[in-house]
């Protein structure tokens, strides 16, 4: 498709990275996504900025899951700034990028002020997207974002911050449950995750009795 003009060079490398990631070939995925960023970093065309945002988000997720927090920040922070400058800061890809940046800040900086700032920005953008669109995808994107925030706060032992974001997770999940035609299996999975994350945070804060009650619920 690239040879026939159906895909740009950046899109070609993005999809190669996507396929490699699905095949569990993380090194190849990282290589292709870094190359896709390089291929689109100087373009201001909308399609190139869209693929740039998608690539940055995917690569940030890959690097953060591997524990390469410094690498995520080195790549992700300039990418986020570029997307803001180009007024491409309303998409789910940009919001997810903010969350991965915040997660890595939470994992590397106990002060956590920068992480909280990025988490709050991402949360507000997710809420704005929900208010604007009211779609199933908007809710699920926001819920996935809050799951990532809560997980990394627990993982980095920022338990008080974890409880705050777990609370927002619960609020959003409660809103989502009220929607018609929701998937019961999806809801059950998220409710179980909510309880597990809350119990972990309470346990980390030394509130063992409260954690036990949540675990039994």
């Amino acid at each position: 498709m690239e040879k026939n003009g159906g895909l740009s060079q950046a899109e070609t490398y993005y999809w190669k990275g996507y396929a490699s990631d699905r095949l569990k070939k993380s090194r190849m995925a990282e290589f292709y996504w870094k190359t896709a960023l390089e291929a689109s970093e100087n373009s201001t065309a909308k399609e190139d900025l869209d693929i740039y945002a998608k690539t940055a988000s995917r690569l940030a997720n890959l690097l953060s899951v591997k524990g390469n927090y410094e690498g995520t920040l080195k790549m992700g922070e300039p990418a986020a700034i570029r997307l803001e400058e180009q007024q491409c800061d309303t998409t789910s890809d940009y919001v997810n990028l903010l969350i991965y940046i915040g997660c890595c800040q939470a994992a590397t900086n106990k002060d956590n002020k920068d992480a909280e700032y990025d988490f709050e920005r991402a949360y507000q953008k997710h809420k704005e997207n929900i208010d604007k669109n009211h779609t199933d995808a908007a809710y699920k994107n926001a819920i996935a974002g809050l799951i990532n925030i809560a997980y990394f706060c627990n993982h980095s032992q920022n338990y008080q911050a974890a409880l705050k974001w777990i609370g927002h997770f619960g609020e959003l999940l409660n809103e989502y449950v009220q929607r018609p035609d929701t998937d019961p299996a999806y809801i059950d999975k998220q409710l179980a995750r909510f309880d597990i994350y809350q119990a972990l945070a309470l346990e980390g804060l030394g509130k063992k009795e409260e954690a036990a009650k949540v675990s039994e619920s």
Side-chain angles (χ1 to χ4, degrees), residues 6-17:
L7 289 175
S8 69
Q9 186 181 50
E11 288 173 320
T12 300
Y13 283 120
Y14 169 77
W15 287 113
K16 285 182 177 180

Side-chain angles (χ1 to χ4, degrees), residues 118-130:
D118 282 332
F119 289 157
E120 190 63 42
R121 288 170 66 205
Y123 176 56
Q124 292 303 323
K125 284 184 178 294
H126 271 311
K127 287 181 66 178
E128 289 169 10
N129 191 35
I130 288 171

Side-chain angles (χ1 to χ4, degrees), residues 6-40:
L7 289 175
S8 69
Q9 186 181 50
E11 288 173 320
T12 300
Y13 283 120
Y14 169 77
W15 287 113
K16 285 182 177 180
Y18 183 92
S20 298
D21 184 56
R22 299 291 290 180
L23 291 170
K24 312 287 187 192
K25 297 179 179 180
S26 61
R27 288 186 180 180
M28 289 303 300
E30 181 178 344
F31 167 77
Y32 283 130
W33 281 335
K34 284 181 176 178
T35 308
L37 285 182
E38 292 172 1
S40 55

Side-chain angles (χ1 to χ4, degrees), residues 62-188:
L62 176 66
L63 294 174
S64 61
V65 168
K66 289 171 64 176
N68 187 354
Y69 305 129
E70 295 294 343
T72 304
L73 295 175
K74 184 178 179 181
M75 178 281 300
E77 289 178 331
I81 291 171
R82 178 168 184 253
L83 290 169
E84 290 158 12
E85 290 174 344
Q86 297 296 325
Q87 299 182 335
C88 297
D89 56 353
T90 59
T91 66
S92 60
D93 294 308
Y94 168 80
V95 178
N96 288 333
L97 178 60
L98 273 189
I99 290 173
Y100 296 133
I101 290 170
C103 289
C104 291
Q105 289 167 338
T108 57
N109 184 0
K110 292 299 180 184
D111 182 46
N112 212 30
K113 289 181 181 178
D114 290 338
E116 279 296 305
Y117 175 71
D118 282 332
F119 289 157
E120 190 63 42
R121 288 170 66 205
Y123 176 56
Q124 292 303 323
K125 284 184 178 294
H126 271 311
K127 287 181 66 178
E128 289 169 10
N129 191 35
I130 288 171
D131 291 341
K132 182 179 179 180
N133 298 304
H134 298 289
T135 62
D136 188 79
Y139 273 97
K140 286 185 175 179
N141 281 335
I143 288 169
L146 289 170
I147 287 169
N148 280 327
I149 293 172
Y151 172 83
F152 269 90
C153 284
N154 271 337
H155 181 70
S156 58
Q157 300 181 355
N158 291 301
Y159 299 118
Q160 198 62 55
L163 283 179
K164 170 186 172 180
W165 294 107
I166 292 164
H168 286 318
F169 173 27
E171 292 166 4
L172 198 59
L173 193 57
N174 186 55
E175 280 185 38
Y176 181 72
V177 169
Q178 311 306 317
R179 289 173 57 82
D181 302 323
T182 52
D183 180 1
Y186 172 82
I187 292 170
D188 287 346

